[in-house]
Structures are given as C-alpha cells and as structure tokens.
Amino acid sequence: MVRTVGFYTLSLVRGLGDFALFTAESFRSVIGSRKLAHRVMRAAFEQGVRCLPVILIVGVFTGLVLGLQGYHVLNRFGSESLLGALVSLSLVRELGPVLAALMLVGQAGSALAAELGIQRNSEQIAALETMGVSSHGYLVTPRLLAALVVYPMQTALFVSIGLFGGWLSGSILLGLEPGVYWSSVERAVEPDDVMECFIKAAVFGLLTVALCCYYGFNAHRCKSATGARAVSASTTRAVVLSCVVVLAADYAITSFLM
C-alpha cells in the first residue's frame, strides 16, 4: 500500500511539474515570437467567435431558469422585488464565469487538444522544432494570450444575456415590473462583484487552455493507446480535467476573495 501511494504521489508531483514547466515555457516564448499578433487574433477567433452561439444559447436559458425558479422561491416570502438581485449576483459571482468556461472548454478546448494531438502524431510539431521554430511559441503561446482576453469577454456576454433571460422570465412571463427588476440589479451588483467575475474568467481561461494544450501537445506520451486512440484519450482527459479544475479554482478564488 505504501509503495502504491508513493507511486501515485510521485506521478502527481511529476505531472504538476511538467505542466508548470510547459506553461512557463509557453509564456517565455512570447519574447522573440514572430507574427504573434496575427496568431493571437486567429486564436481569439477560434475561442471567441466560433463559441458565440453556445454562449448565447446557454446564457439565455440559464437566465430564464434563474428567473423562473427565483421568482417562485421569493414569492413564498413576498420578496419578488429582489428577483433582479438574485439573478444578477448568481450570474456575476458564480454561474457566469463557471458556465461560460465549461462551454468554452467543451467546444474550443476539445478542438484545441485534438488539433495539437493530431499535429503531434503527424510529426508536424517535430518538423517545427527541426526547422528551429519554437513549437511552444508558435502553437501554444497565442492560445494562452487569447484566452486571457476572450474568456472575460465571453463571460461578460454570458452574464448580460443571462440578465436578459431573467428579465424575460420575471417581467414578461410572470408579470414583475421591469423597472423593479432592473433597479434591483443595479442596487445589487457592485464593482467588487464585477472584478471577481473577471478575475475568475481570466484564471479559468489560463488554466483550461493550458491544460488542453498540454494534453494535446503530449498526446504521444499516452500509455493506454497509440495513434488516433491516443488523441482521443488525451482530448477526453483534457476536457474532463479542465472541468474539474474550473470548479476547484472557483471554490479557491471565492474563498480567497470573500
């Protein structure tokens, strides 16, 4: 038992060290990277524009459900006027950054891990390194820099459309006065709440994109499979671990900031 615990502990520490070195090397590659702005814009398009439909759809339905459930809960205590505060604080503090990050991981993160895994298996990454091109700077760095901008922007859009969905449920469907809803939103949300939302979004973006890049970049190290199966296994592992990391980081940041 002691040998087994020691083996898994050493494997965990080794994996965390490899991931930290991988991320540090990716940020170090910013220096001297050519045409970085063009690649960052392309990565922002992949993470941002292509994920807009899922962000909009999930955001509006999240707001609709929050408005519906919140109204009936508050109605028991005669506090329907606080619906705007309930919806806005739920979205800004927790649901907005978490759900937006999970949706981006499911679409952009999985595609990113699979793309890098295929490039590794087809030896495109090895070809870059043979030509003296930094594979981290060319493939990973632009995605990390784009995530620091795209994730907060997508989260802001998610929260905005979620507030609109809460207004649809509370005011249009259930008869709450629109002015009461929006004034409650205005009174409830403070600058510190918005700052916390953006901090969470940036941290989630950095962690999830770095994890997806790491597992895709190292798909050839997969011990359980080779070839196409290794790409599939690495992509699945990257998405699942990214979702767990988002929830764990959300708890850690919330505990630190509260």
Side-chain angles (χ1 to χ4, degrees):
M1 184 182 66
V2 174
R3 182 182 302 173
T4 302
V5 172
F7 173 78
Y8 283 110
T9 302
L10 291 176
S11 298
L12 176 62
V13 173
R14 187 182 301 112
L16 291 175
D18 287 342
F19 174 71
L21 291 175
F22 175 86
T23 306
E25 175 64 22
S26 300
F27 278 110
R28 190 192 67 81
S29 299
V30 172
I31 302 174
S33 183
R34 299 179 179 178
K35 297 182 179 180
L36 181 60
H38 173 73
R39 294 198 298 275
V40 170
M41 292 298 294
R42 181 178 178 182
F45 175 80
E46 294 173 353
Q47 298 174 17
V49 177
R50 290 183 176 176
C51 296
L52 276 178
V54 68
I55 291 293
L56 294 175
I57 293 172
V58 175
V60 69
F61 278 106
T62 301
L64 286 169
V65 171
L66 279 175
L68 184 62
Q69 294 283 7
Y71 182 88
H72 287 293
V73 170
L74 294 174
N75 186 43
R76 298 179 181 179
F77 307 98
S79 303
E80 300 90 340
S81 60
L82 297 177
L83 179 64
L86 173 65
V87 173
S88 60
L89 292 178
S90 299
L91 287 171
V92 172
R93 289 184 176 178
E94 296 297 333
L95 292 181
V98 170
L99 290 181
L102 294 180
M103 294 303 103
L104 290 170
V105 168
Q107 183 166 345
S110 59
L112 172 57
E115 179 183 348
L116 291 179
I118 292 172
Q119 290 176 333
R120 172 63 75 180
N121 278 353
S122 60
E123 298 184 353
Q124 295 181 41
I125 296 178
L128 286 174
E129 295 171 350
T130 301
M131 292 186 295
V133 178
S134 172
S135 56
H136 289 79
Y138 190 83
L139 297 173
V140 181
T141 302
R143 269 97 177 206
L144 290 177
L145 296 179
L148 294 175
V149 178
V150 171
Y151 272 66
M153 293 177 62
Q154 294 283 54
T155 300
L157 179 62
F158 187 97
V159 171
S160 300
I161 198 69
L163 291 175
F164 176 75
W167 169 75
L168 285 178
S169 285
S171 298
I172 303 301
L173 300 180
L174 298 174
L176 181 68
E177 287 293 330
V180 173
Y181 176 84
W182 291 115
S183 62
S184 178
V185 171
E186 183 181 2
R187 290 194 304 270
V189 179
E190 298 180 355
D192 290 342
D193 300 322
V194 178
M195 182 60 65
E196 179 181 347
C197 177
F198 285 138
I199 290 174
K200 287 183 177 181
V203 172
F204 296 163
L206 176 61
L207 291 175
T208 57
V209 172
L211 280 170
C212 291
C213 288
Y214 174 77
Y215 278 102
F217 201 84
N218 296 291
H220 62 298
R221 296 184 181 179
C222 184
K223 298 179 181 179
S224 59
T226 58
R229 289 184 177 272
V231 176
S232 174
S234 298
T235 302
T236 302
R237 191 174 303 170
V239 172
V240 172
L241 187 57
S242 294
C243 294
V244 174
V245 166
V246 165
L247 297 176
D250 177 57
Y251 173 77
I253 296 173
T254 303
S255 300
F256 179 76
L257 295 178
M258 287 190 68

